[in-house]
């Protein structure tokens, strides 16, 4: 086969360009690492905290905090490197060098990111992993604690209980969730009806801003402090730690699970729950899960199941009295209840058995017992669902089979806090927050499309029953179906699509703060807070100026 001179020239030029690009990329990589070394404190060398794809431990470090297997496939984009910071200067260096080298940064704490945005990007990026930022300093005399962003909720609860049996903190029920991620978007748990969200009990914070400065509340200003307590903290900088206000808990609390199966058996109890969930005594937290269960020995007949999980800041006798008065359809009995310490209740809600002497040290385990591929979506319920509507929902769920729904009750303290007190706006007027979820074990694109599609079908079916104009969502239940941001010319308008659902009227205040503290939009991801729009993009609401 003869090769023409022109063809040979093209081949040579192409090979040269590929070689030059590879060399340039390698040089950029080395330059980035040198920058990290230059800007970090030499007394705390950053070299041992940098993991390249060629390193033997790279894959294990990357996968250590991935909680949704959808984002741990071979096809999932991987970071250019991972920085497991152990010193504040490592965080400062990561920000400054990331900006200088135009390399996108994703910040990760616990890894419970429903869309993987803390460790996946489709442009060149690196991960700043805060798993080593996990110190907790509890001050019982002041009833406060400083907790670093990489600590898990389990570690925080354990540290509090080691200092006091009558103090706790209102945050999530899954002990492996990272503090940084939870506080970024709100943070609810089984004490929110009594004490509000995690963000309602944060009194200070330390953040590294886009200029590499470490700022406390006094120097960052109240606007930025407001934004990072519920308004997507990763859009504004890297939060190193939060100072929280501890809350009182009794020596013993009561926990229970009650399950009911069969459409005929559960319609009355589910309907009653929807009617009164936000009106329970605020010491009561009772969430409801609906899923499809097998019926009969042949395990082929499908039926509905409602599982009620309760937490009460008091003894079982008073709880049963309250339930008999307000929710007799539940049929709660003494044998259903367990009176335990607050920290034992945390173990119980973490799905660990407490009757066989399970140690509270299980809360220090940062890895969930099981991992799945999962797709989640969320809604807000503002009106009860009629019984006929429930029957239609049950029929749809049996048809789809795999998706399930959690209903998390609001009311109590949640209804007393102004919707603009924090970026999280979903306060009075909400009966419950709904989480839709489907889990699966199969790998691959086809399985992802199929099972994610089931979640979407159930979500679509629920449209007539949930909030409207906008159809609202909870930011910590991140959902890219609501829209993503490409951070181009239409960044503000793209952000308004999902931002309006997550933050409602608070979105434009977040945009204004973002534009002031990170005007070049370095801290960004698919659903971050954008900067102000260009004039032709349209005007901000409430008279906010456009530049």
């Amino acid at each position: 086969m003869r090769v023409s001179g022109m063809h040979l020239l093209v081949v040579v030029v192409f090979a040269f360009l590929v070689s030059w690009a590879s060399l340039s990329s390698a040089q950029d990589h080395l330059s980035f690492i040198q920058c990290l070394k230059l800007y970090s404190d030499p007394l705390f060398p950053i070299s041992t905290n940098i993991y390249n794809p060629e390193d033997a431990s790279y894959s294990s470090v990357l996968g250590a905090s991935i909680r949704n297997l959808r984002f741990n496939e071979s096809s999932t984009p991987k970071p250019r490197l991972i920085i497991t910071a152990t010193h504040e200067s490592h965080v400062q260096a990561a920000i400054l060098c990331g900006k200088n080298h135009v390399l996108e940064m994703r910040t990760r704490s616990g890894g419970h990111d429903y869309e993987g945005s803390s460790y996946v990007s489709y442009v060149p990026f690196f991960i700043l992993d805060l798993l080593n930022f996990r110190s907790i300093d509890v001050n019982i005399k002041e009833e406060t604690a400083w907790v670093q962003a990489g600590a898990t909720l389990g570690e925080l609860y354990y540290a509090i209980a080691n200092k006091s049996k009558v103090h706790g903190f209102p945050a999530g029920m899954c002990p492996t969730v990272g503090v940084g991620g939870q506080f970024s978007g709100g943070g609810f748990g089984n004490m929110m009806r009594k004490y509000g969200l995690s963000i309602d009990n944060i009194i200070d914070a330390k953040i590294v801003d886009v200029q590499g400065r470490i700022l406390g509340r006094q120097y960052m200003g109240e606007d930025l402090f407001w934004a990072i307590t519920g308004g997507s903290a990763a859009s504004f900088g890297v939060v190193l730690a939060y100072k929280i206000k501890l809350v009182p808990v009794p020596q013993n609390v009561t926990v229970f699970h009650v399950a009911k199966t069969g459409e005929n058996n559960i319609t009355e109890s589910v309907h009653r729950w929807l009617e009164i969930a936000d009106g329970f005594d605020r010491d009561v937290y009772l969430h409801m899960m609906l899923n499809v269960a097998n019926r009969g020995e042949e395990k082929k007949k499908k039926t509905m199941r409602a599982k009620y999980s309760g937490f009460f800041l008091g003894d079982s006798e008073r709880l049963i009295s309250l339930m008999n008065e307000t929710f007799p359809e539940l049929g709660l009995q003494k044998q259903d209840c367990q009176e335990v310490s607050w920290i034992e209740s945390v173990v119980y809600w973490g799905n660990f058995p407490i009757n066989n002497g399970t140690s509270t040290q299980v809360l220090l385990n940062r890895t969930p017992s099981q991992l799945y591929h999962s797709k989640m979506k969320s809604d807000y319920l503002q009106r009860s669902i009629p019984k006929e509507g429930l029957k239609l929902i049950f029929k749809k769920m049996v048809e789809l089979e795999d998706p399930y729904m959690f209903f998390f009750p609001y009311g109590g303290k949640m209804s007393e806090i102004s919707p603009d007190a924090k970026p999280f706006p979903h306060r009075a007027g909400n009966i419950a927050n709904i989480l839709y979820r489907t889990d699966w074990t199969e790998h691959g694109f086809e399985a992802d499309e199929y099972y994610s599609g089931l979640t979407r079908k159930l979500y679509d079916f629920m449209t007539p029953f949930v909030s409207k104009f906008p159809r609202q969502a909870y930011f910590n239940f991140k959902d890219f179906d609501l829209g993503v941001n490409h951070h181009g010319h239409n960044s503000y308008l793209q952000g308004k699509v999902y931002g309006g659902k997550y933050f409602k009227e608070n979105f434009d205040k977040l945009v204004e703060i973002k534009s002031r503290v990170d005007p070049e939009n370095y801290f960004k991801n698919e659903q971050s807070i954008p900067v102000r729009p260009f004039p032709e993009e349209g005007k901000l609401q409430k008279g906010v100026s456009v530049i």
Side-chain angles (χ1 to χ4, degrees):
M1 177 180 174
R2 297 181 62 185
V3 180
S4 68
M6 181 59 71
H7 188 187
L8 182 60
L9 179 61
V10 169
V11 171
V12 170
V13 170
F14 178 76
F16 171 77
L17 290 175
V18 170
S19 177
W20 181 85
S22 299
L23 179 62
S24 177
S25 177
Q27 290 174 336
D28 286 344
H29 187 76
L30 290 173
S31 175
F32 180 60
I33 292 176
Q34 289 302 315
C35 180
L36 292 171
K37 294 177 180 178
L38 177 65
Y39 279 96
S40 58
D41 190 328
L43 295 177
F44 302 90
I46 196 172
S47 302
T48 55
N49 302 105
I50 298 174
Y51 297 87
N52 292 289
E54 299 79 21
D55 296 337
S57 52
Y58 170 88
S59 294
S60 61
V61 172
L62 176 60
S65 295
I66 294 179
R67 304 293 174 244
N68 188 341
L69 296 181
R70 285 179 66 209
F71 308 108
N72 200 17
E73 300 276 7
S74 59
S75 58
T76 305
K78 305 299 190 292
R80 296 285 181 89
L81 55 82
I82 305 167
I83 303 171
T84 56
T86 55
H87 188 258
E88 293 174 342
S89 69
H90 299 169
V91 178
Q92 294 170 299
I95 294 170
L96 296 174
C97 297
K99 276 175 30 184
N100 291 344
H101 287 77
V102 196
L103 193 58
E104 195 165 288
M105 182 177 78
R106 297 298 171 102
T107 308
R108 182 168 74 172
S109 54
H112 282 268
D113 187 321
Y114 283 8
E115 293 286 5
S117 61
S118 63
Y119 50 87
V120 176
S121 178
Y122 290 86
V123 300
F125 75 107
F126 69 98
I127 292 175
L128 174 62
D129 200 323
L130 298 177
L131 82 162
N132 293 317
F133 270 75
R134 54 205 282 191
S135 73
I136 302 164
D137 182 15
V138 178
N139 188 325
I140 292 300
K141 184 177 180 180
E142 291 184 358
E143 298 186 309
T144 62
W146 273 103
V147 52
Q148 289 189 318
T152 63
L153 297 180
E155 290 170 338
L156 173 60
Y157 297 150
Y158 184 83
I160 295 171
N162 267 357
K163 291 292 184 72
S164 170
K165 305 304 180 188
V166 292
H167 288 85
F169 186 72
M173 295 163 281
C174 178
T176 59
V177 168
V179 163
Q182 168 118 143
F183 295 178
S184 175
F188 77 77
N190 54 23
M191 291 200 290
M192 67 174 167
R193 303 189 67 258
K194 179 75 170 184
Y195 297 114
L197 304 173
S198 300
I199 55 173
D200 301 321
N201 296 276
I202 295 174
I203 54 179
D204 204 346
K206 287 176 65 177
I207 186 173
V208 184
D209 72 359
V210 75
Q211 299 177 52
R213 299 176 300 179
I214 300 175
L215 305 172
R217 179 174 182 174
Q218 179 180 355
Y219 294 102
M220 74 175 77
E222 287 303 300
D223 275 357
L224 181 53
F225 179 73
W226 177 85
I228 64 171
T229 50
S232 174
S235 298
F236 301 91
V238 177
V239 176
L240 300 176
Y242 288 97
K243 187 177 184 181
I244 61 175
K245 178 179 61 179
L246 305 183
V247 301
V249 296
Q251 286 275 3
N252 286 297
V253 301
T254 304
V255 293
F256 68 87
H257 293 310
V258 173
K260 296 181 179 294
T261 58
E263 180 181 318
N264 294 333
N265 293 332
I266 72 172
T267 301
E268 291 297 326
S269 65
V270 170
H271 183 257
R272 178 64 175 168
W273 187 96
L274 297 173
E275 292 282 322
I276 62 172
D278 60 331
F280 282 127
D281 184 293
R282 67 183 58 206
D283 286 342
V284 175
Y285 173 88
L286 177 62
H287 79 216
M288 174 174 69
M289 184 189 78
L290 300 179
N291 73 331
V292 177
N294 296 317
R295 184 174 65 191
E297 293 182 3
E298 72 279 6
K299 302 292 185 182
K300 294 180 180 179
K301 185 76 173 178
K302 303 298 178 183
T303 188
M304 285 300 301
R305 174 169 56 195
K307 184 176 182 180
Y308 301 92
S309 298
F311 170 87
F312 178 62
L313 288 160
D315 60 55
S316 58
E317 184 176 345
R318 180 168 173 250
L319 172 63
I320 292 171
S321 176
L322 286 170
M323 288 295 99
N324 287 340
E325 179 183 339
T326 60
F327 194 16
E329 294 83 358
L330 181 64
L332 184 67
Q333 299 180 33
K334 180 73 173 179
Q335 59 264 32
D336 299 320
C337 302
Q338 296 186 68
E339 293 185 14
V340 296
S341 67
W342 173 74
I343 194 64
E344 287 173 329
S345 80
V346 174
V347 174
Y348 178 88
W349 279 83
N351 291 321
F352 298 104
I354 58 175
N355 291 330
N356 63 354
T358 301
S359 169
T360 56
Q361 288 187 346
V362 72
L363 299 174
L364 302 180
N365 187 349
R366 294 178 65 94
T367 305
S369 57
Q370 289 183 296
L371 295 175
Y372 300 97
H373 301 73
S374 302
K375 172 61 183 176
M376 286 75 90
K377 299 177 74 68
S378 69
D379 257 325
Y380 277 92
L381 185 72
Q382 298 177 328
R383 293 183 181 180
S384 180
I385 301 172
K387 293 179 183 178
E388 290 306 311
L390 288 175
K391 291 176 182 178
L392 293 173
I393 293 168
F394 295 161
K395 181 179 178 181
K396 188 64 176 180
M397 291 187 71
V398 169
E399 172 193 323
L400 296 173
E401 192 170 332
D402 290 296
Y404 52 100
M405 286 193 284
F406 279 99
F407 290 74
F408 304 106
Y410 277 27
K413 183 71 172 180
M414 292 291 290
S415 295
E416 298 171 358
I417 299 172
S418 170
D420 60 2
K422 292 291 182 181
F424 178 98
H426 314 289
R427 305 291 187 166
N430 291 292
I431 296 173
N433 175 215
I434 304 174
L435 170 66
Y436 309 89
R437 178 167 179 161
T438 307
D439 301 326
W440 65 97
T441 57
E442 297 96 319
H443 292 274
F445 176 77
E446 290 185 359
D448 191 325
E449 285 294 292
Y450 173 73
Y451 289 106
S452 294
L454 296 180
T455 306
R456 295 180 180 114
K457 287 177 182 177
L458 181 57
Y459 174 85
D460 290 343
F461 191 83
M462 289 290 291
T463 301
F465 307 110
V466 296
S467 63
K468 299 173 177 62
F469 313 116
R471 185 172 183 175
Q472 299 167 39
Y474 175 39
F475 180 72
N476 276 356
F477 292 161
K478 202 169 289 184
D479 178 12
F480 285 177
D481 294 349
L482 303 181
V484 296
N485 206 318
H486 302 292
H487 301 289
H489 188 68
N490 294 318
S491 177
Y492 170 78
L493 294 179
Q494 290 172 346
K496 187 76 171 177
V497 174
Y498 57 83
K501 298 176 186 296
Y502 291 138
F503 303 111
K504 298 176 66 179
E505 288 80 6
N506 294 332
F507 175 73
D508 282 328
K509 182 178 177 181
L510 289 168
V511 170
E512 186 69 16
I513 297 167
K514 167 74 171 183
S515 302
R516 189 166 67 249
V517 303
D518 183 22
E520 296 181 1
N521 194 27
Y522 178 65
F523 298 113
K524 58 182 177 291
N525 58 53
E526 290 82 357
Q527 286 193 340
S528 58
I529 303 299
V531 294
R532 294 189 192 102
F534 294 105
E536 57 268 33
E537 273 195 81
K539 295 181 179 180
L540 291 168
Q541 296 179 355
K542 296 185 179 180
V544 177
S545 62
V546 177
I547 62 171

